[in-house]
């Protein structure tokens, strides 16, 4: 598995340090707010799990699963809800946890959906941001790292369902997917 990685971009130590900083900032803001942390499955699972352990205040955890319609390997911008929330978020502050913001379609869809559901406020916390690929105007309130326009795997992010369990963030060798 590790042979498929071209470069490690962020090590386990880099990630741990950055998560401590992000969680401290979020804890300052949310300590009396009782938010719902909404994790976007499956990519954000590892990130969200490590983050909530660092959030030192009362919160609820929920998740959604979404998939985007694709034409070949190009996103069409249409997003579909595969698994809905288990609880109401009406009147609640929400923090959406996402692995990476790429085109922005997924988070645009989700912020609209959660706003329609009556969330009191919505913020986005993304491990990674790939601004070069953005198609719609979506910005995270908290970003771990900004990454170049390469295919990233590890720490929750997959290619074809693989590499999510790598403890670091790396660039996948092009030879793995260009065949
Ligand atoms: P968006 O809707 O284009 O912003 O895409 C968001 C989703 O695409 C993310 O939640 C990821 O699951 C997936 N994605 C985008 N870029 C990458 C990448 O470089 N590696 C792995 N997954 C990615
Ligand atoms: Mg995803």
């Amino acid at each position: 598995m590790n042979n498929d990685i071209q470069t490690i971009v962020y090590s386990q130590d880099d990630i741990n340090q950055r998560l401590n900083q992000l969680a401290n900032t979020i804890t300052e803001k949310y300590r009396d707010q009782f938010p719902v942390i909404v994790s976007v499955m499956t990519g954000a699972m590892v990130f969200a799990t490590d983050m909530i352990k660092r959030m030192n205040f009362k919160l609820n955890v929920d998740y959604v699963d979404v998939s985007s319609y694709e034409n070949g390997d190009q996103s069409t911008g249409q997003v579909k809800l595969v698994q809905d929330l288990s609880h109401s978020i009406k009147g609640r502050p929400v923090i959406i946890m996402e692995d990476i913001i790429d085109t922005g379609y997924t988070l645009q869809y989700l912020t609209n959906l959660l706003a329609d559901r009556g969330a009191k406020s919505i913020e986005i916390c993304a491990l990674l941001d790939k601004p070069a690929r953005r198609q719609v105007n979506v910005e995270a309130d908290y970003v771990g790292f900004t990454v170049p326009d390469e295919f990233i795997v590890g720490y929750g992010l997959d290619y074809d369902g693989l590499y999510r369990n790598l403890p670091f963030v790396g660039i996948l060798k092009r030879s793995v997917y260009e065949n």
Side-chain angles (χ1 to χ4, degrees):
M1 175 170 68
N2 288 257
N3 287 337
D4 295 345
I5 305 304
Q6 178 192 300
T7 327
I8 295 179
V9 189
Y10 295 107
S11 70
Q12 226 168 330
D13 277 354
D14 296 336
I15 295 171
N16 283 334
Q17 278 184 31
R18 188 68 185 124
L19 264 56
N20 287 340
Q21 294 170 344
L22 287 179
N24 284 343
T25 306
I26 291 172
T27 297
E28 284 300 310
K29 175 156 181 180
Y30 282 90
R31 70 168 88 248
D32 301 313
Q33 302 240 2
F34 193 27
V36 183
I37 311 299
V38 174
S39 174
V40 185
M41 287 294 151
T42 304
M45 182 181 77
V46 179
F47 174 50
T49 304
D50 283 353
M51 279 294 286
I52 60 168
K53 289 183 281 184
R54 292 168 159 89
M55 294 180 184
N56 192 13
F57 49 87
K58 282 189 180 163
L59 55 79
N60 290 132
V61 177
D62 209 333
Y63 64 92
V64 290
D65 194 357
V66 292
S67 77
S68 28
Y69 290 96
E70 276 165 26
N71 226 329
D73 59 357
Q74 288 303 100
S75 173
T76 60
Q78 272 178 294
V79 179
K80 133 181 105 162
L81 191 63
V82 177
Q83 170 73 52
D84 204 340
L85 295 168
S86 306
H87 304 280
S88 169
I89 51 142
K90 196 169 168 53
R92 300 289 300 279
V94 172
I95 308 175
I96 304 176
M97 307 296 295
E98 177 59 305
D99 54 357
I100 185 167
I101 314 181
D102 188 41
T103 62
Y105 289 131
T106 302
L107 282 169
Q108 183 183 55
Y109 170 83
L110 276 177
T111 48
N112 288 337
L113 180 80
L114 299 184
D116 284 350
R117 298 275 180 86
K120 182 182 179 194
S121 60
I122 301 171
E123 284 197 314
I124 296 169
C125 178
L127 173 68
L128 304 175
D129 187 9
K130 207 195 273 184
R133 296 250 313 161
R134 201 73 95 254
Q135 297 290 322
V136 286
N137 186 22
V138 171
E139 260 184 73
D141 300 279
Y142 312 95
V143 174
F145 306 102
T146 300
V147 290
D149 189 7
E150 300 277 0
F151 201 83
I152 308 291
V153 294
Y155 199 70
L157 290 98
D158 75 305
Y159 171 69
D160 206 16
L162 298 174
Y163 312 108
R164 293 195 198 276
N165 51 324
L166 289 171
F168 53 79
V169 167
I171 296 174
L172 190 62
K173 283 182 184 163
R174 284 181 179 271
S175 57
V176 175
Y177 56 90
E178 282 180 355
N179 270 311

